[in-house]
Amino acid sequence: MAIEPRRRMVLSPLWLQGAILTFVVGFAVLLVLAFMIYRDQAPIPGKVVDPSGNVLFTGQDIRAGQGVFQKYGLMEYGTIFGHGAYLGPDFTADYLHREAEIMLKMYQGRPGPLSANERVRKELRDNRYNPTTGTLVFTEGQAKAFRDLQPVYAHSLRNPHAEGLLPTVYIHSVEEMRQLGAFLAWAAWTTTAQRPGQSYSYTSNWPPEPLAGNFPTAAALVWSVLSIAALLGGTGIVLFLFGRYDWLGWQRVTEREVVFLDPANVPITPGQRATRWYFLVAGALFLVQTLVGGLNAHYRAEPTNFYGLNLAGYIPYMLSRTWHVQLAIFFVAAAYLATGIFVAPLIARREPRGQSTLAYILLVAVAVVVVGSLLGEAAGMRDMLKGGLWYWLGAQGWEYLDLGRFWQILLVVGLFIWVAIVFRGMRSSLRGEAIGNMPYLFLYASLAIPVFYATGLLATRGSTYVVTDFWRFWVVHLWVEDFLELFTTATVAYIFMLLGVITERTATRVIYLSVLLYSVGGVIGTMHHLYFSGAPVAHMALGAFFSAMEVIPLTLLSLEAYSFLRLGGLEGPTGAFPHRWAAWSLAAVGLWNFLGAGIFGFLINLPIVSYYEIGTTLTANHGHTAMFGVYGMLAVGLMLFCLRYIVPPERWSNKLAGTSVVSLNVGLAWMSFVNLFPIGLVQLYDSYQVGYWHARELAFVLRPTIHFLEWARLPGDALFIVGGVLPLLWLAFQGAIHGRPATQEAQGEALALYKEA
């Protein structure tokens, strides 16, 4: 049997080789950094004793206390080491400040060579852990602080009836509260105890706390300066290359005119028609996600009730925020899965039989994961899942990896099944194709989604916090900001090539540029999340330097946004471009990528700024504008593109599509510039001027100025939901109920989206 010869690459093989080299070098560095995390993490002592040798708590208590922290979703209430939610305190900073005050009061007036302030600093900074015996000795002051703070946190968190300003948390067990106290005491110890052989703590002297002698390190300042230099130098080089080679970036076909076919005249396959239910599910998830997001925002304005209703007794803040974060991932994932299935037959120009059946099976599996995980999280936080079931069926308790381990495994399996469906759909286009050309690039981008989401499974139940954080940010950063970005670029490039707007060479080049520019900074730049989590200082150095270079491709996206605006206004011989509002959504993606991920991201990524800022609403501002502004708006754009072919013309409304796109962007801008960004600036000022612990107190949120800004967010949220989400959901509903019939025989040129003029 003769082997079909492969088509040559449309670009030089150097592009493929450069992309492979970038990944090999980047991930080799990450593996070295992983080794350093495991080797140099703060120790968990076998036991912690007072000066008399009495055991205060054990290493098992610390691990069990971390489990309590996870089980009750406390990372979705406050933060630990600066990471988590924003209503509650940062538990590490809060414990450390209270501990230092107790010690200072205890030593005040005692005779000795050191003043009370000096003694507190010395005792907190001395590392009295003995690695030979596995014993950590607390001083008299540290031991008293531990005993005194046990009832303080018990009073705060054992609050089943939502009394006062705290939301409902069902921590009834006295033993669980004792274990949680042990975990918080150990976490605070790591923030001040000096690393062996170093002059700074395991967390690089974070959080800022003068009473404990915690001030920024020299490394935080130096690597901030070098980050700025890397950004300016890298931007200059890339802009020079784009000026020197005018074929870089998006280039519209100019040598020919094309006729955009009326979407009503383009047949759809059974597999494509099946995606209409995905889009309806995505729209419904989007609506619920924004509603619980509005509830979260309201809790910051009125922590005790919801317009007179005691919702906190049923949906406490940590549960509503857990759902808000998880539903954001589910909404985007549903839209991406549907788009992959929809685009595959357009690439292959045919569809194998049975694709629709596989698509429906996958949809049911995804629905089981979504519903099961959301209900499990609620049950786990109410202590209804006994033993270890809270971890498997409830919530793992880490932000963005909240869903139970069982549901996480099912989701990974489902994503791999999706890749198999996409591969099956485009297999015919892979035969005889060079492995560096677009069909393979689209397949690689699809495969990266389950592969890098699965890295979250490396954070096991017994992992320490810093190890968990390392693998967690492979999902939060690498999966989202690198490989979803790669899938985004590959999909958009393919769509516009299929529409005849750009050539295959341009589309392929854009994908490779995305790989090279994002991955040079993005892979190693993942470590900027671990500045103060307990990682060695090398993670700060490399994370700061390379994350600064992530801003470079985001700067170029301002040019990309303009290109998409031009695409949205295209006129052909037969009329307007049929995907105007999808193109405008992509223009918004470019804008928010530059603003949310670029400007707002760089603002908080400098180590010297992050030292005072991490965990404030400036982080939330970056998260919302980057996550929804980029991946949410892309999901909207992809939905509008696909639904344009699914919804019959008599039921399609460009007015509703336009209303949705405009309202979503105006609502997001309102949220950012009226609420999150100004509050974050005030919080950053307070963190430096008064103290980080003070800027993270609930009392700070309830100050009159902040309280006003919290209420001022309401019009933007209302516009976002009513004007943005509901019209999109209505269009998805029209597609699901009245979708155009499918044609199994459609293949070849029948699936073309344009023709030569």
Side-chain angles (χ1 to χ4, degrees):
M1 180 179 175
I3 299 177
E4 184 178 352
R6 288 189 177 273
R7 187 164 74 106
R8 297 181 61 184
M9 280 188 62
V10 298
L11 299 178
S12 166
L14 291 176
W15 287 94
L16 176 61
Q17 294 163 12
I20 294 174
L21 180 63
T22 300
F23 282 129
V24 168
V25 172
F27 283 102
V29 173
L30 281 190
L31 290 177
V32 172
L33 293 174
F35 169 77
M36 295 175 66
I37 283 279
Y38 282 91
R39 184 192 65 186
D40 298 333
Q41 61 182 307
I44 294 182
K47 60 181 178 179
V48 179
V49 301
D50 65 13
S52 301
N54 299 312
V55 176
L56 297 171
F57 53 90
T58 66
Q60 183 57 39
D61 291 330
I62 296 171
R63 293 183 176 88
Q66 178 176 294
V68 174
F69 187 85
Q70 297 172 251
K71 174 182 176 180
Y72 291 100
L74 294 181
M75 197 178 194
E76 295 291 11
Y77 168 53
T79 55
I80 188 83
F81 296 104
H83 294 295
Y86 313 107
L87 182 63
D90 180 87
F91 288 99
T92 34
D94 185 74
Y95 186 100
L96 178 61
H97 182 73
R98 292 175 185 269
E99 177 184 39
E101 286 190 322
I102 291 171
M103 294 173 68
L104 186 63
K105 182 178 180 181
M106 177 181 176
Y107 295 141
Q108 205 74 47
R110 285 195 181 185
L114 300 177
S115 67
N117 278 307
E118 291 171 333
R119 183 172 179 179
V120 169
R121 289 187 181 186
K122 184 177 188 309
E123 289 188 1
L124 289 175
R125 301 203 65 77
D126 283 349
N127 191 339
R128 287 176 298 279
Y129 171 69
N130 186 329
T132 303
T133 63
T135 301
L136 170 62
V137 179
F138 269 10
T139 66
E140 181 186 1
Q142 287 174 302
K144 176 176 172 52
F146 172 72
R147 295 187 179 104
D148 288 357
L149 289 177
Q150 286 285 304
V152 172
Y153 286 106
H155 176 74
S156 298
L157 298 173
R158 293 178 65 193
N159 187 32
H161 301 296
E163 298 169 346
L165 296 177
L166 289 169
T168 306
V169 183
Y170 296 97
I171 306 183
H172 296 294
S173 168
V174 174
E175 177 63 11
E176 284 186 329
M177 284 305 312
R178 188 187 70 81
Q179 293 167 340
L180 178 62
F183 172 63
L184 298 181
W186 170 81
W189 171 77
T190 68
T191 67
T192 57
Q194 292 185 347
R195 278 186 178 274
Q198 303 295 340
S199 60
Y200 49 82
S201 72
Y202 289 102
T203 60
S204 293
N205 289 354
W206 188 92
E209 180 52 75
L211 292 179
N214 267 9
F215 299 97
T217 63
L221 177 62
V222 169
W223 286 107
S224 296
V225 172
L226 292 177
S227 296
I228 297 173
L231 170 63
L232 296 176
T235 301
I237 293 172
V238 172
L239 290 179
F240 169 80
L241 293 174
F242 269 70
R244 171 65 178 81
Y245 303 103
D246 60 3
W247 42 263
L248 292 175
W250 297 89
Q251 301 292 328
R252 187 194 166 192
V253 176
T254 56
E255 66 273 13
R256 60 176 178 169
E257 282 193 348
V258 298
V259 175
F260 303 117
L261 298 182
D262 186 339
N265 296 328
V266 177
I268 60 174
T269 66
Q272 289 177 315
R273 190 170 191 268
T275 61
R276 72 194 195 278
W277 295 107
Y278 282 79
F279 293 124
L280 180 62
V281 169
L285 292 175
F286 191 18
L287 176 61
V288 178
Q289 193 264 346
T290 54
L291 289 175
V292 293
L295 179 60
N296 292 340
H298 188 87
Y299 278 146
R300 289 179 63 86
E302 283 189 300
T304 56
N305 66 80
F306 183 78
Y307 298 109
L309 300 176
N310 180 24
L311 275 188
Y314 304 95
I315 308 177
Y317 176 82
M318 55 281 296
L319 178 59
S320 63
R321 191 178 188 274
T322 296
W323 284 352
H324 181 62
V325 172
Q326 286 301 115
L327 286 167
I329 296 174
F330 289 147
F331 151 62
V332 171
Y336 280 33
L337 296 184
T339 302
I341 296 171
F342 190 93
V343 170
L346 298 178
I347 296 173
R349 296 298 178 94
R350 62 180 298 275
E351 181 178 275
R353 293 188 179 276
Q355 283 290 88
S356 60
T357 302
L358 294 175
Y360 286 130
I361 292 173
L362 177 61
L363 179 61
V364 171
V366 170
V368 169
V369 170
V370 171
V371 175
S373 64
L374 296 180
L375 294 178
E377 286 156 357
M381 291 181 192
R382 288 180 175 270
D383 198 20
M384 297 170 64
L385 300 175
K386 302 301 181 180
L389 286 179
W390 66 265
Y391 178 80
W392 288 96
L393 299 179
Q396 293 182 71
W398 302 120
E399 188 186 29
Y400 287 99
L401 291 180
D402 296 280
L403 74 172
R405 177 54 65 103
F406 174 72
W407 308 115
Q408 184 187 16
I409 293 172
L410 284 187
L411 183 56
V412 170
V413 172
L415 291 174
F416 275 110
I417 292 174
W418 168 71
V419 173
I421 294 173
V422 171
F423 170 74
R424 184 174 183 267
M426 56 184 298
R427 182 168 50 186
S428 61
S429 66
L430 298 174
R431 298 193 189 102
E433 187 64 79
I435 61 172
N437 280 347
M438 282 194 67
Y440 274 98
L441 294 181
F442 184 82
L443 181 62
Y444 301 152
S446 301
L447 182 60
I449 290 179
V451 167
F452 284 92
Y453 183 78
T455 57
L457 295 172
L458 295 173
T460 65
R461 183 176 177 180
S463 298
T464 60
Y465 176 81
V466 67
V467 169
T468 298
D469 232 29
F470 180 82
W471 296 116
R472 184 171 72 92
F473 279 110
W474 276 53
V475 175
V476 177
H477 185 97
L478 266 182
W479 183 64
V480 173
E481 297 186 34
D482 240 32
F483 292 101
L484 284 188
E485 192 76 50
L486 173 59
F487 180 78
T488 295
T489 305
T491 302
V492 172
Y494 235 128
I495 285 174
F496 283 111
M497 188 191 79
L498 293 170
L499 287 167
V501 175
I502 59 176
T503 64
E504 183 183 8
R505 285 181 61 85
T506 296
T508 307
R509 189 184 302 118
V510 164
I511 296 174
Y512 277 113
L513 279 172
S514 174
V515 171
L516 293 170
L517 291 176
Y518 280 104
S519 299
V520 164
V523 174
I524 302 175
T526 304
M527 295 300 101
H528 77 257
H529 294 281
L530 274 73
Y531 291 161
F532 311 117
S533 297
V537 74
H539 294 68
M540 176 189 292
L542 294 175
F545 188 81
F546 283 93
S547 69
M549 290 193 285
E550 289 184 88
V551 182
I552 298 170
L554 301 179
T555 302
L556 299 175
L557 287 174
S558 58
L559 302 175
E560 183 176 297
Y562 178 69
S563 299
F564 286 132
L565 286 176
R566 292 174 60 196
L567 289 173
L570 282 179
E571 295 285 340
T574 61
F577 183 56
H579 301 289
R580 178 187 181 190
W581 292 110
W584 275 69
S585 297
L586 297 177
V589 169
L591 172 65
W592 288 112
N593 228 332
F594 171 63
L595 182 62
I599 295 178
F600 292 151
F602 182 72
L603 172 66
I604 66 175
N605 281 353
L606 292 174
I608 196 65
V609 176
S610 184
Y611 184 79
Y612 295 99
E613 176 281 329
I614 186 172
T616 68
T617 51
L618 285 179
T619 302
N621 182 58
H622 162 61
H624 281 79
T625 53
M627 180 64 185
F628 178 78
V630 179
Y631 305 104
M633 280 309 304
L634 177 71
V636 171
L638 295 177
M639 287 177 67
L640 292 175
F641 170 79
C642 298
L643 287 171
R644 191 70 176 85
Y645 294 98
I646 296 172
V647 178
E650 66 273 12
R651 294 188 176 275
W652 177 261
S653 172
N654 270 322
K655 185 176 181 180
L656 283 180
T659 299
S660 176
V661 172
V662 172
S663 297
L664 290 173
N665 282 281
V666 173
L668 180 60
W670 187 289
M671 179 197 308
S672 174
F673 291 105
V674 174
N675 178 257
L676 297 177
F677 187 66
I679 290 177
L681 289 179
V682 176
Q683 211 170 5
L684 178 62
Y685 180 89
D686 190 81
S687 172
Y688 181 85
Q689 190 70 18
V690 182
Y692 180 79
W693 62 272
H694 184 265
R696 290 299 314 280
E697 281 189 324
L698 183 60
F700 177 88
V701 177
L702 299 178
R703 290 166 56 178
T705 302
I706 306 301
H707 195 243
F708 169 78
L709 291 174
E710 294 292 1
W711 278 108
R713 173 176 168 169
L714 182 59
D717 285 1
L719 177 65
F720 191 95
I721 296 171
V722 176
V725 180
L726 290 181
L728 182 67
L729 179 58
W730 178 254
L731 291 175
F733 175 77
Q734 293 297 317
I737 303 302
H738 304 288
R740 295 170 55 221
T743 305
Q744 178 67 60
E745 292 72 24
Q747 58 181 316
E749 291 303 314
L751 291 174
L753 305 183
Y754 75 95
K755 64 181 180 180
E756 299 287 346

